[in-house]
Amino acid sequence: AMPSKPKSTESSMQHNKNHKKVRELLRLYEGGAVFTAFDTETTGLSAHNDRLLEIGAVQFSKDGILATYSQLINPCRTIPYEATRINNITHDMVQDCPTEQVILPDFYTFIGKSILVAHNANFDLKFINTALSRDGHRILENQVEDTVKISRAIFPELEKHNLQFLAQHFSINPGNAHRATD
């Protein structure tokens, strides 16, 4: 067995890899690439057992905001109290909304080939891809970047990297932090 690298070397290598990724994203941005920042709200934490309640997205490039997408989704099931307590989405708000079967093809078209950006991207991606698969659609193949990882790479000294903390740290009004488009 090969000896493991010392922790300092591993973290240094990861640090360099993260900085290289950030420089690459900056190069893409400056080159005019289109990005889509997106978020979801859900009935719970399990992509297989829970459902999407909302998808919000903002498409942008170096020229500014290109388009926005905001859609509440009828989960066709009861919304647990814990979910409503977090995202303030109630049954009355979604009962007349389209289902994920209707919404996801539209969202797929909206994002096109843009680079997807999300905070804790794996969570949102897992919900969207599980729903796409469940409905017989291809999963997303876009490049995906996680802003938690980017934040940790650029600002390792910060004690937290959640959106609310980052917004406060950088004096950004977060809007309603538990609604997808905000």
Side-chain angles (χ1 to χ4, degrees), residues 28-92:
L28 287 168
Y29 177 80
E30 290 170 347
V34 175
F35 294 81
T36 301
F38 75 102
D39 191 22
T40 62
E41 296 301 330
T42 64
T43 61
L45 301 177
S46 167
H48 291 283
N49 298 324
D50 293 303
R51 295 293 183 266
L52 292 163
L53 283 174
E54 183 178 33
I55 299 176
V58 177
Q59 203 164 77
F60 66 95
S61 71
K62 68 178 183 179
D63 298 324
I65 293 175
L66 305 174
T68 59
Y69 183 94
S70 179
Q71 183 62 59
L72 286 169
I73 301 167
N74 184 338
C76 301
R77 61 178 54 194
T78 303
I79 302 171
Y81 169 76
E82 300 79 32
T84 297
R85 196 167 51 83
I86 292 168
N87 57 38
N88 294 315
I89 298 173
T90 65
H91 174 74
D92 288 345

Side-chain angles (χ1 to χ4, degrees), residues 6-7 13 18 40 46 54 60 63 70 74-75 93 97 102 113 128 130 145 154 166:
K7 280 286 184 209
M13 288 174 59
N18 288 338
T40 62
S46 167
E54 183 178 33
F60 66 95
D63 298 324
S70 179
N74 184 338
M93 293 168 67
C97 292
V102 174
K113 295 189 182 303
I128 289 173
T130 298
E145 300 299 335
I154 300 175
L166 293 172

Side-chain angles (χ1 to χ4, degrees), residues 113-181:
K113 295 189 182 303
S114 64
I115 298 167
L116 299 179
V117 179
H119 213 66
N120 286 320
N122 283 345
F123 177 85
D124 300 289
L125 219 67
K126 188 172 239 178
F127 264 89
I128 289 173
N129 282 333
T130 298
L132 283 166
S133 294
R134 188 169 41 239
D135 298 332
H137 300 289
R138 286 191 351 216
I139 63 170
L140 300 179
E141 295 177 357
N142 303 53
Q143 178 179 338
V144 179
E145 300 299 335
D146 188 335
T147 52
V148 171
K149 292 177 183 174
I150 293 168
S151 174
R152 287 182 178 139
I154 300 175
F155 307 106
E157 73 282 1
L158 294 179
E159 69 253 31
K160 295 181 185 175
H161 295 275
N162 64 54
L163 283 176
Q164 293 76 10
F165 179 85
L166 293 172
Q168 182 179 358
H169 181 79
F170 294 109
S171 301
I172 298 169
N173 179 354
N176 183 342
H178 290 287
R179 288 301 300 275
T181 304

